[in-house]
Amino acid sequence: FSKRIEKLTCTLRTQRKMKRSFAPKITEKVKSQRAPDGAQVEFVCKVEGYPRPQITWFRQTAIIKPSPDFQIYYDDNNMATLVIKEVFPEDAGTFTCVAKNCVGFASASAELVVEHPLSDHGTEKHDRRSLSRESSLADIVEGIPPTFAQRPSTKTAEEGSSVELECRFVAI
């Protein structure tokens, strides 16, 4: 599916000292971990972006929803944290932090290895209702806005007059 847009008209209003938007970037990546069965685990990464990105955590391709078992934080210091209160062998796998805003997205992944118990603790399956099987990483990426292939050039204009800016963009 390809569609060409011949002309896109935008009305821009300027504000003094307007902060420039930028796509999220992971400035401190999440680290892989080994943990014994039953331990608490925290995955942490530092994310920057403006406007402030929305954070979504995944295990494999399932979105992790906040619950007593899985706690999610995103503090004022831009630290995105996933706390797993008690890990079980079935929690092992790839954990991914996705940061998304209107300009773009970034992600970082890490592995969790859960060491099998010496006892029978954790041998029964635990129902992790916070893992959503309906949503996936593809659902998050789907909403990513187009990016510029050719940015508009800077032009000077009198206030109240019209100016034409040309640009090209690419969309997923």
Side-chain angles (χ1 to χ4, degrees):
F1 176 86
S2 176
K3 185 174 182 180
R4 184 182 172 135
I5 299 174
E6 293 299 326
K7 194 167 191 176
L8 183 65
T9 304
C10 299
T11 303
L12 302 175
R13 289 179 175 74
T14 60
Q15 296 175 344
R16 298 205 192 313
K17 297 184 181 179
M18 193 165 107
K19 192 169 181 179
R20 186 180 177 125
S21 296
F22 63 97
K25 60 183 172 188
I26 309 285
T27 56
E28 288 178 30
K29 293 184 186 285
V30 61
K31 293 178 176 60
S32 293
Q33 299 185 47
R34 291 184 79 86
D37 183 32
Q40 177 172 301
V41 171
E42 288 187 14
F43 287 106
V44 180
C45 65
K46 188 165 188 172
V47 178
E48 294 179 3
Y50 186 82
R52 185 172 165 85
Q54 170 191 334
I55 302 298
T56 306
W57 285 92
F58 291 84
R59 182 186 162 278
Q60 310 298 78
T61 59
I63 290 177
I64 299 172
K65 296 178 181 170
S67 72
D69 292 332
F70 295 86
Q71 296 172 1
I72 296 171
Y73 305 99
Y74 184 32
D75 67 23
D76 292 338
N77 295 322
N78 298 320
M79 300 304 284
T81 305
L82 168 65
V83 178
I84 306 171
K85 287 305 215 178
E86 186 178 10
V87 295
F88 299 102
E90 64 266 24
D91 293 323
T94 303
F95 285 80
T96 303
C97 176
V98 176
K100 174 184 159 187
N101 68 11
C102 61
V103 186
F105 80 104
S107 66
S109 297
E111 297 296 320
L112 172 62
V113 175
V114 179
E115 296 160 358
H116 287 285
L118 297 175
S119 69
D120 62 358
H121 168 77
T123 54
E124 72 277 3
K125 285 283 184 192
H126 294 271
D127 185 13
R128 298 290 201 168
R129 295 200 186 282
S130 59
L131 294 180
S132 169
R133 300 290 176 213
E134 297 80 47
S135 299
S136 68
L137 186 56
D139 295 330
I140 294 295
V141 173
E142 181 181 280
I144 294 173
T147 56
F148 282 103
Q150 175 190 329
R151 292 190 174 275
S153 57
T154 303
K155 292 189 177 181
T156 305
E158 296 287 327
E159 188 173 336
S161 68
S162 295
V163 66
E164 192 170 309
L165 301 173
E166 186 176 330
C167 64
R168 297 178 197 276
F169 60 92
V170 178
I172 295 174

